Amino acid sequence: MWLPAAMEGPTPVSALIHAATMVTAGVFLIIRCSIIFEYSPLSLLIITIVGACTCIFAATIGLCQNDIKRVIAYSTCSQLGYMVFACGLSSYDVSFFHLFNHAFFKALLFLSAGAVIHSLNNEQDMRYMGGLAKLLPFTYSMMVIGSLSLAGFPFLSGFYSKDICLEITWLSYEVDSILSFSLAIFAAFLTAFYSFRLLKLTF
């Protein structure tokens, strides 16, 4: 819960630090310690289940948020679930690929959200926004690109990394991978929903 709680300040620097560095440190540690985890199938099973549950849990919370930065923050938590269950299925390269791609489009979303908040005199509640596409056309276009990438739109970076996470889960043929795939595919639909809800309410 510390990530959404840290989203109070609208500063772009904090957005970049949270999106690209701090929250991904745990996933990076799992990747670096992969040789240790490979000796414990039980640990990999736990990592897979925790990652899949995190993926869907954070996505459902993101649906109900009205703070623009909290929506993006819970989206980050959901995407971390994708990275973690990919690690649990021993696909550390896929997890790192999604980690790397995610840092870029999530930083774009956080910076765009910061631009919106600053232009509205530090207002973060999306219910008080609307019609900003004409006032902030560049921010709107950047937010659309970031949201499409987050939702897994074809030919954007998020499509390739998220899709391969789902594919390796589908092709593992394990009980935990079937559970992970079911939760992750539902979380992908939820991600697309709250991404476009954010765009509609804000712009």
Side-chain angles (χ1 to χ4, degrees):
M1 299 302 290
W2 66 267
L3 175 62
M7 287 292 106
E8 300 303 326
T11 56
V13 174
S14 71
L16 285 172
I17 289 170
H18 284 103
T21 310
M22 291 177 73
V23 295
T24 54
V27 178
F28 189 71
L29 184 64
I30 295 173
I31 294 168
R32 290 303 299 249
C33 297
S34 59
I35 192 166
I36 300 170
F37 286 111
E38 285 301 309
Y39 283 105
S40 175
L42 179 62
S43 296
L44 292 176
L45 176 67
I46 293 169
I47 288 170
T48 307
I49 292 170
V50 168
C53 292
T54 302
C55 186
I56 192 73
F57 177 69
T60 52
I61 296 176
L63 285 174
C64 308
Q65 296 298 311
N66 294 311
D67 186 321
I68 185 170
K69 288 184 81 175
R70 282 178 185 266
V71 173
I72 302 171
Y74 278 111
S75 167
T76 300
C77 297
S78 181
Q79 297 305 305
L80 287 171
Y82 280 90
M83 300 171 206
V84 170
F85 76 66
C87 289
L89 295 170
S90 301
S91 299
Y92 303 101
D93 51 347
V94 171
S95 178
F96 187 75
F97 181 45
H98 190 47
L99 183 151
F100 193 78
N101 281 346
H102 172 265
F104 285 100
F105 62 74
K106 196 51 68 73
L108 177 64
L109 284 170
F110 272 126
L111 288 168
S112 301
V116 169
I117 292 164
H118 279 308
S119 64
L120 294 176
N121 197 20
N122 295 333
E123 179 59 63
Q124 295 187 201
D125 196 328
M126 294 187 298
R127 291 171 295 185
Y128 300 116
M129 299 179 189
L132 294 177
K134 293 178 181 177
L135 297 173
L136 303 167
F138 182 73
T139 304
Y140 175 56
S141 59
M142 292 299 104
M143 194 73 103
V144 167
I145 292 168
S147 296
L148 287 174
S149 188
L150 173 63
F153 192 77
F155 309 115
L156 293 172
S157 63
F159 167 73
Y160 295 105
S161 56
K162 262 178 85 171
D163 199 58
I164 200 166
C165 282
L166 292 168
E167 284 177 15
I168 59 109
T169 312
W170 177 251
L171 295 173
S172 293
Y173 301 115
E174 301 287 341
V175 175
D176 55 331
S177 66
I178 294 167
L179 171 70
S180 299
F181 180 78
S182 305
L183 294 176
I185 203 79
F186 185 52
F189 284 112
L190 294 180
T191 302
F193 182 81
Y194 64 65
S195 297
F196 291 106
R197 173 179 173 264
L198 184 147
L199 284 174
K200 180 166 176 54
L201 287 175
T202 308
F203 297 100

